[in-house]
């Protein structure tokens, strides 16, 4: 029986205990039970989730057809049975699956999370590179307004560029993989501001997402032999999710933490974070109003024990200045290169 609610270490032990025939049976008959199981090998999760991607598309297409037929027969247009709302939601999920599929089509990706049931939006995590073998792994958590359907391509492009930049900094024999982790219900603007579980002015969405992130980070270590050099990256509200995931998380194995454009990390000191001293970094660009809000705790840039990544143009490195709230991972910018240095285990080289 596939464990439910177990630790990443327990999941890893479960997987190792199975015979090849039992593993194949699960992959064929119940891929949904193992695709999101933190602690089992990334290539297994990827194969299971790709299978689920196909199965979910088939299921949702059938649901959409059924709801469409209901609407055709209902002269009130679904007013009294919510078929119209159901069809809209189904089409949204199908569009999210399309976004995931087209991202995977670029090659060199691993689908580490596919969750179509835990929240209003489809959730996912996609890696560029092989997180099971890479010597350096980075996990990026986006913030306000993040949505798989509308934003996965953009984030994946930034993360792929970061992976290439970091790879260019590595010595021979080292490798790097970078993950876009969109496995929490990010807050949105609009009507979501009135929903306590989704409003950006509340830490509730971060509090709910943080345990999922901690488990994922645990799983990266538990699934493999030697632990990778692991960097956690959080942008905007995502930095709060990342910070909360590291509060007392002794098993997360995070070696570096970078918070970019952070409205606050939920605390007024860095002592409670499970990150080695001197390996907690913040980046704050000129014109980033969100980073000055202090909406989720004190301005991280003013806290003790935190290093600063430069966002200013660097003629020597040929990098440009970062400006505003959404520019931190733009290729060719100073903050992107500084972040790549951290990911590559060369944080001593950042200019600050």
């Amino acid at each position: 029986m596939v464990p439910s609610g177990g630790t990443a270490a327990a999941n890893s032990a479960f997987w190792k205990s199975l015979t090849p025939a039992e593993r194949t049976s699960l992959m064929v008959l119940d891929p949904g039970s193992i695709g999101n199981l933190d602690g089992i090998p990334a290539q297994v999760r990827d194969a299971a989730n790709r299978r689920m991607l196909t199965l979910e598309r088939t299921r949702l297409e059938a649901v959409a057809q059924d709801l469409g037929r209901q609407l055709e027969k209902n002269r009130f247009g679904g007013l009294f049975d919510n078929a119209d709302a159901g069809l809209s939601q189904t089409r949204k999920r199908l569009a999210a699956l399309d976004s995931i599929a087209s991202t995977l089509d670029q090659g060199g990706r691993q689908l580490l999370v596919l969750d179509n049931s835990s929240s209003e939006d489809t959730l996912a995590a996609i890696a560029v590179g092989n997180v099971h073998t890479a010597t350096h792994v980075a996990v990026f958590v986006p913030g306000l307004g993040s949505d798989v359907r509308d934003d996965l391509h953009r984030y994946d492009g930034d993360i792929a560029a970061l992976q290439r930049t970091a790879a260019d900094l590595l010595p021979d024999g080292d490798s790097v993989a970078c993950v876009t982790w969109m496995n929490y219900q990010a807050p949105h603007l609009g009507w979501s501001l009135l929903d306590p579980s989704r409003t950006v002015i509340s830490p509730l969405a971060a509090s709910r997402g943080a345990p999922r992130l901690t488990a994922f980070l645990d799983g990266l270590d538990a699934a493999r032999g030697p632990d990778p050099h692991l960097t956690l990256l959080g942008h905007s509200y995502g930095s709060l999710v990342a910070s909360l995931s590291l509060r007392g998380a002794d098993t997360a194995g995070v070696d570096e933490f970078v918070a970019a454009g952070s409205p606050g990390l939920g605390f007024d000191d860095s002592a409670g974070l499970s990150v080695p001293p001197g390996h907690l970094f913040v980046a704050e660009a000129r014109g980033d109003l969100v980073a000055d809000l202090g909406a989720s705790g004190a301005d991280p840039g003013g806290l003790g024990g935190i290093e600063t990544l430069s966002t200013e143009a660097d003629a020597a490195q040929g990098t440009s200045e970062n400006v505003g709230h959404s520019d931190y991972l733009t290729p060719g910018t100073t903050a992107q290169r500084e972040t790549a240095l951290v990911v590559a285990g060369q944080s001593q080289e950042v200019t600050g």
Side-chain angles (χ1 to χ4, degrees):
M1 168 135 350
V2 178
S4 176
T7 65
N11 294 339
S12 177
F14 159 76
W15 184 255
K16 291 175 181 177
S17 73
L18 299 179
T19 66
E22 289 171 332
R23 293 176 181 179
T24 299
S25 177
L26 277 176
M27 182 68 70
V28 173
L29 300 177
D30 194 11
S33 69
I34 58 175
N36 299 331
L37 202 61
D38 296 309
I40 70 173
Q43 61 270 27
V44 175
R45 296 178 68 163
D46 177 52
N49 283 327
R50 286 174 187 259
R51 180 165 171 75
M52 283 304 301
L53 188 64
T54 300
L55 294 174
E56 277 294 278
R57 165 159 289 288
T58 300
R59 181 184 71 83
L60 290 174
E61 285 175 344
V63 171
Q65 291 176 1
D66 182 59
L67 290 172
R69 286 191 292 266
Q70 290 182 40
L71 288 173
E72 289 176 0
K73 297 176 181 178
N74 190 338
R75 63 176 177 170
F76 296 104
L79 181 62
F80 298 114
D81 62 8
N82 291 323
D84 53 348
L87 181 58
S88 176
Q89 178 67 10
T90 302
R91 287 172 173 167
K92 180 180 180 181
R93 288 198 183 277
L94 282 168
L97 298 184
D98 287 342
S99 180
I100 293 170
S102 59
T103 299
L104 295 174
D105 285 344
Q106 297 179 77
R109 267 68 173 174
Q110 292 177 324
L111 182 55
L112 302 177
V113 173
L114 176 62
D115 186 343
N116 236 354
S117 61
S118 291
S119 68
E120 181 179 330
D121 296 328
T122 296
L123 305 177
I126 293 182
V128 180
N130 188 344
V131 301
H132 193 68
T133 59
T135 47
H136 303 267
V137 174
V139 177
F140 169 66
V141 185
L144 173 66
S146 306
D147 181 270
V148 168
R149 179 189 63 177
D150 299 323
D151 301 307
L152 177 59
H153 275 294
R154 174 169 59 91
Y155 289 135
D156 178 79
D158 286 344
I159 288 305
L162 178 67
Q163 191 254 5
R164 292 191 296 269
T165 302
D168 288 341
L169 298 168
L170 294 175
D172 292 342
D174 278 13
S175 58
V176 60
C178 296
V179 181
T180 302
W181 190 85
M182 303 181 74
N183 191 25
Y184 83 107
Q185 185 71 75
H188 286 65
L189 298 177
W191 289 109
S192 293
L193 289 172
L194 303 178
D195 182 348
S197 67
R198 300 199 62 182
T199 178
V200 71
I201 60 177
S202 164
L204 185 55
S207 297
R208 290 181 172 179
R212 298 170 71 97
L213 178 56
T214 302
F216 181 80
L217 297 170
D218 285 344
L220 294 179
D221 284 349
R224 43 184 289 173
D227 295 345
H229 170 253
L230 182 57
T231 301
L232 183 57
L233 314 172
H235 174 247
S236 190
Y237 192 88
S239 68
L240 178 60
V241 180
S243 173
L244 294 180
S245 77
L246 296 176
R247 295 291 283 179
D250 295 332
T251 60
V254 173
D255 301 290
E256 322 275 357
F257 176 32
V258 177
S262 176
L265 300 176
F267 60 86
D268 294 329
D269 65 77
S270 59
L273 287 183
S274 300
V275 181
H279 293 269
L280 174 57
F281 303 88
V282 297
E284 183 175 329
R286 178 173 60 86
D288 187 347
L289 300 180
V290 173
D292 292 323
L293 288 176
S296 301
D299 183 346
L303 299 178
I306 295 183
E307 308 295 326
T308 301
L309 299 184
S310 176
T311 60
E312 299 177 358
D314 187 333
Q317 295 295 336
T319 55
S320 60
E321 180 186 16
N322 299 86
V323 179
H325 185 59
S326 302
D327 192 31
Y328 293 97
L329 292 181
T330 299
T333 61
T334 299
Q336 196 252 18
R337 185 178 189 279
E338 297 254 293
T339 301
L341 283 167
V342 175
V343 171
Q346 300 174 31
S347 58
Q348 72 279 2
E349 301 295 328
V350 302
T351 58

